[in-house]
């Protein structure tokens, strides 16, 4: 099933069905968690109507092409190791909306610039910031309302100018008003003047790269390197113990999590089902899963786990040494990943989105993602993207319950049932053909499972093979074709 005649590797996505999971607790609102004595940890949070905390559908991906995973991200899925999951939005207590940023349109805030400047001063001069910037990934902020919509000037419209200076008007605005008055007196085009001014301001706008200077031996106080490695490489194996020890320190210090077994770490942050097709190997770096190690003076102080996909960089997880919290490492790493995505787009023009996972309006540790502008949220029903400010306004107006951003738009047409492939043990069948060979309880369970997958995987299910390892049909196996042969109706 290879896509290349001279490559015998498997390059088809194979995912194994798992039943919907209800953990009985939520890692975001903590609803359902219990203390050691068995009493609820959150006693003042009433259950929502028909609430089932942390309710999702999951599959295990044995093989997953980067293209198929990108398509799954675009309909609300995500991954943890080889486990792929899709929150069932109308049943889970904390709706999780996929958030993405077009890196070509990214604009830094003052806080972003301050974070970059603090790191620069620390590396070059050994100077710690006088005022530490709280990392929003670890320091919850106060609840917020919907962000304000973009200003008229950002939409390309002329800025309204007051007729006369009034008390409270800033000097800069007053000067702008006088300049506009002079232009009008001369009969010149005010709109064109403002457009040209925006172009000049844009050319002077600082980028992330402008804050990153090359290290000079003997002149700089510290040297920071970012090394990107893959599981199985010599660099990965040599640095494993140091990286794992850092993870344990981070989890215990930042999240007070004692469940940091080696097996859990490997399954959570090392395992990946992503496979690279031959066509994707022509451009470096190749698509797939990576660890980005932040190495300060030869010591790993942070690790970012990322996926490079055809149209995006997907940020999976980030952990760092708490001793360097003064550098606001969570925000700094996001900025470096955005800059890295901008660089990837030079050779891969389609790869210009930065995915930050899920946005949760009621969770401060997740809501910080909305501070990277301009971001979009995914509508779970129509798979259309909506600017974050507009989407959050709808969520807030709906009391943070699950919100469909485009309620009047239809859901896109589903997959062709005839195109769906199902694998039993090591044999592949077409979905309609297989149904005819099932009866009774087997058919009922099969239809229920497939209905869930067809709805939540949508048209992506056409390009993958659904694996049922323990299922059998009511006819002999002789009627089924081998995995590497031609499937029936192929």
């Amino acid at each position: 099933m290879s896509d290349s005649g001279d490559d015998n590797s498997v390059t088809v996505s194979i995912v194994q069905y798992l039943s919907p999971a209800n953990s009985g607790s939520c890692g975001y609102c903590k609803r359902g968690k219990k203390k050691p004595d068995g009493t609820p940890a959150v006693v003042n949070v009433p259950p929502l109507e028909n609430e089932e905390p942390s309710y999702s559908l999951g599959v295990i991906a044995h093989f997953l092409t980067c293209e198929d995973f990108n398509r799954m991200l675009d309909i609300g899925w995500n991954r943890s190791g080889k486990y792929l999951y899709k929150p069932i939005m109308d049943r889970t207590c904390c709706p999780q909306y996929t958030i993405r940023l077009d890196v070509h349109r990214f604009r830094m805030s003052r806080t972003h610039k301050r974070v970059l400047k603090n790191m620069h001063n620390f590396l070059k001069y050994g100077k710690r910031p006088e005022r530490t910037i709280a990392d929003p990934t670890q320091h919850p902020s106060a609840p917020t309302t919907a962000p304000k919509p973009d200003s008229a000037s950002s939409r390309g419209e002329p800025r309204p100018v007051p007729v006369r200076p009034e008390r409270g008007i800033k000097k800069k605005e007053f000067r702008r008003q006088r300049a506009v008055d002079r232009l009008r007196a001369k009969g010149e085009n005010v709109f064109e003047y403002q457009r040209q001014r925006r172009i000049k301001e844009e050319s002077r706008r600082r980028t992330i790269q402008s804050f990153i200077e090359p290290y000079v031996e003997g002149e700089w106080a510290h040297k920071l390197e970012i090394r990107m490695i893959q599981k199985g490489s010599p660099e990965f194996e040599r640095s494993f113990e140091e990286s794992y020890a850092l993870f344990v320190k981070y989890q215990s210090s930042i999240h007070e999590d004692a469940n940091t077994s080696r097996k859990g770490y490997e399954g959570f942050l090392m395992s990946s089902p992503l496979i690279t097709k031959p066509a994707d190997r022509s451009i470096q770096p190749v698509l797939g899963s990576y660890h980005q190690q932040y190495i300060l003076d030869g010591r790993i102080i942070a690790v970012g786990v990322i996926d490079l996909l055809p149209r995006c960089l997907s940020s999976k997880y980030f952990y760092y040494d708490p001793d360097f919290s003064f550098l606001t490492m969570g925000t700094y790493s996001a900025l470096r990943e955005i800059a890295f995505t901008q660089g990837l787009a030079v050779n891969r023009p389609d790869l210009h989105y930065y995915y930050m996972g899920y946005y949760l309006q009621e969770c401060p540790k997740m809501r910080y993602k909305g501070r990277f502008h301009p971001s979009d949220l995914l509508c779970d029903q129509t798979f259309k993207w909506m600017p974050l400010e507009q989407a959050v306004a709808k969520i807030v107006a709906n009391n943070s319950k699950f919100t469909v951003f485009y309620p009047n738009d239809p859901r896109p047409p589903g997959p062709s049932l005839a195109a769906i492939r199902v694998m039993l043990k090591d044999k592949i069948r077409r979905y309609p053909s297989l149904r005819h060979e099932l009866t009774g309880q087997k058919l009922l369970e099969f239809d229920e499972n497939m209905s869930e997958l067809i709805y939540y995987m949508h048209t992506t299910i056409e390009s993958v093979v659904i694996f049922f390892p323990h299922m059998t049909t009511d006819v002999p196996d002789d009627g089924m074709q081998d995995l590497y042969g031609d499937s029936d109706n192929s």
Side-chain angles (χ1 to χ4, degrees):
M1 304 185 87
S2 171
D3 291 306
S4 174
D6 58 356
D7 191 330
N8 294 321
S9 62
V10 177
T11 54
V12 66
S13 298
I14 301 176
V15 300
Q16 178 180 336
Y17 170 81
L18 299 177
S19 60
N22 177 6
S23 66
S25 64
C26 177
Y28 300 110
C29 69
K30 309 301 181 184
R31 189 178 284 110
K33 292 278 187 180
K34 292 185 177 181
K35 295 180 179 179
D37 62 1
T39 59
V42 183
V43 296
N44 295 321
V45 180
L48 301 175
E49 185 179 356
N50 301 322
E51 174 186 83
E52 297 191 56
S54 193
Y55 197 74
S56 62
L57 179 67
V59 299
I60 292 293
H62 296 275
F63 303 98
L64 187 65
T65 68
C66 294
E67 172 62 34
D68 284 337
F69 184 45
N70 205 145
R71 294 174 63 198
M72 292 183 75
L73 284 176
D74 288 341
I75 56 173
W77 288 73
N78 214 323
R79 79 170 183 90
S80 175
K82 292 186 177 182
Y83 177 69
L84 309 181
Y85 59 97
K86 167 69 177 71
I88 299 180
M89 300 281 276
D90 57 349
R91 298 176 68 178
T92 194
C93 62
C94 292
Q96 303 159 48
Y97 304 89
T98 300
I99 182 171
R100 77 177 185 183
L101 166 75
D102 185 342
V103 298
H104 292 326
R105 301 170 57 217
F106 173 64
R107 295 294 179 264
M108 285 190 291
S109 67
R110 291 183 179 179
T111 299
H112 295 154
K113 295 175 183 178
R114 196 176 303 125
V115 169
L116 292 169
K117 187 175 181 180
N118 285 347
M119 176 65 80
H120 174 269
N121 290 339
F122 174 73
L123 296 176
K124 191 169 185 177
Y125 308 111
K127 179 182 177 182
R128 290 193 174 209
E130 297 178 357
R131 181 169 62 90
T132 301
I133 302 172
D135 195 328
T137 63
Q138 310 304 334
H139 300 274
S141 58
T144 60
T145 56
K148 296 180 180 180
D150 291 341
S151 65
S153 61
S154 65
R155 297 193 301 266
E157 301 172 5
R159 180 186 296 272
V161 180
V163 176
R164 58 184 177 83
E166 298 178 357
R167 184 178 180 181
I169 295 179
K170 295 181 180 180
K171 292 182 178 179
K172 183 177 181 180
E173 185 67 26
F174 180 60
R175 289 195 298 269
R176 182 182 289 115
Q177 175 188 331
R178 289 196 300 179
V180 169
D181 289 342
R182 286 195 296 269
L183 290 170
R184 285 174 175 165
K186 295 178 181 179
E188 296 189 19
N189 189 323
V190 175
F191 181 86
E192 179 63 20
Y193 164 79
Q194 292 179 333
R195 188 183 72 83
Q196 291 294 336
R197 185 180 182 87
R198 284 195 296 271
I199 293 175
K200 291 180 181 179
E201 291 177 351
E202 183 71 21
S203 66
R204 294 195 297 265
R205 191 186 298 272
R206 294 201 66 175
T207 65
I208 300 173
Q209 288 292 348
S210 68
F211 287 89
I212 303 172
E213 296 183 25
Y215 170 79
V216 180
E217 183 73 34
E219 296 184 11
W220 285 53
H222 301 285
K223 181 179 182 180
L224 178 67
E225 301 174 90
I226 300 181
R227 178 174 62 190
M228 192 166 73
I229 57 178
Q230 281 189 300
K231 179 183 176 182
S233 67
E235 296 85 355
F236 195 100
E237 300 302 324
R238 283 196 296 267
S239 61
F240 172 80
E241 293 297 337
E242 184 181 3
S243 183
Y244 171 61
L246 177 61
F247 172 76
V248 173
K249 181 178 181 180
Y250 170 81
Q251 291 294 110
S252 60
S253 176
I254 301 297
H255 296 295
E256 299 180 352
D257 183 8
N259 184 20
T260 53
S261 67
R262 186 182 300 265
K263 182 177 180 180
Y265 171 77
E266 292 177 353
F268 175 40
L269 296 178
M270 289 177 56
S271 297
S272 172
L274 297 187
I275 54 178
T276 304
K277 291 186 176 183
D280 292 332
R281 298 175 190 149
S282 59
I283 302 176
Q284 298 296 322
V286 299
L287 303 181
S289 300
Y290 293 88
H291 279 201
Q292 280 192 325
Q293 297 177 338
Y294 292 68
I295 304 171
L296 182 69
D297 300 330
R299 167 188 172 190
I300 300 175
I301 64 166
V303 177
V305 183
I306 62 173
D307 292 333
L308 299 189
L309 304 173
R311 292 175 297 284
C312 73
L313 182 150
S314 176
S315 181
K316 314 309 298 179
Y317 201 73
F318 181 77
Y319 59 95
Y320 62 90
D321 190 333
D323 294 343
F324 292 90
S325 294
F326 64 90
L327 292 173
T328 324
M329 291 300 300
T331 300
Y332 181 76
S333 69
L335 292 168
R336 291 301 300 259
E337 287 173 355
I338 291 171
F340 181 52
T341 307
Q342 291 171 337
L344 292 171
V346 174
N347 293 320
R348 295 183 182 270
D350 291 337
L351 201 169
H352 61 92
Y353 289 107
Y354 177 57
Y355 280 61
M356 295 173 278
Y358 292 124
Y359 176 91
L360 284 77
Q361 176 61 21
E362 293 299 298
C363 181
K365 288 187 179 181
M366 304 294 281
R367 195 170 58 232
Y368 82 93
K369 300 173 183 180
R371 299 180 183 178
F372 294 85
H373 297 288
S375 294
D376 300 311
L377 296 188
L378 177 70
C379 177
D380 190 67
Q381 292 299 310
T382 64
F383 309 137
K384 295 181 180 181
W385 297 91
M386 177 174 281
L388 181 131
E389 293 81 7
Q390 297 177 29
V392 170
K394 290 178 176 289
I395 295 171
V396 172
N398 196 29
N399 295 320
S400 295
K401 296 178 181 179
F402 167 55
T403 303
V404 177
F405 303 146
Y406 298 97
N408 297 324
D409 292 358
R411 185 180 176 87
S416 166
L417 300 185
I420 300 175
R421 295 167 293 174
V422 181
M423 182 166 68
L424 280 64
K425 297 182 179 179
D426 60 346
K427 303 298 193 303
I428 291 180
R429 301 301 305 272
R430 294 287 178 178
Y431 171 63
S433 173
L434 180 58
R435 285 195 73 255
H436 291 305
E437 298 174 7
L438 297 173
T439 59
Q441 188 63 29
K442 285 184 181 179
L443 178 59
L444 291 176
E445 292 179 358
F446 180 66
D447 278 346
E448 180 181 355
N449 297 340
M450 289 301 298
S451 294
E452 290 173 337
L453 289 173
I454 290 170
Y455 184 80
Y456 290 108
M457 292 186 68
H458 206 247
T459 55
T460 305
I461 200 171
E462 294 179 345
S463 60
V464 306
V465 175
I466 306 300
F467 183 34
F468 290 91
H470 305 299
M471 182 179 169
T472 59
T473 64
D474 299 319
V475 298
D477 286 349
D478 295 343
M480 292 189 290
Q481 299 298 316
D482 186 76
L483 170 61
Y484 292 100
D486 292 327
S487 303
D488 51 2
N489 298 325
S490 296

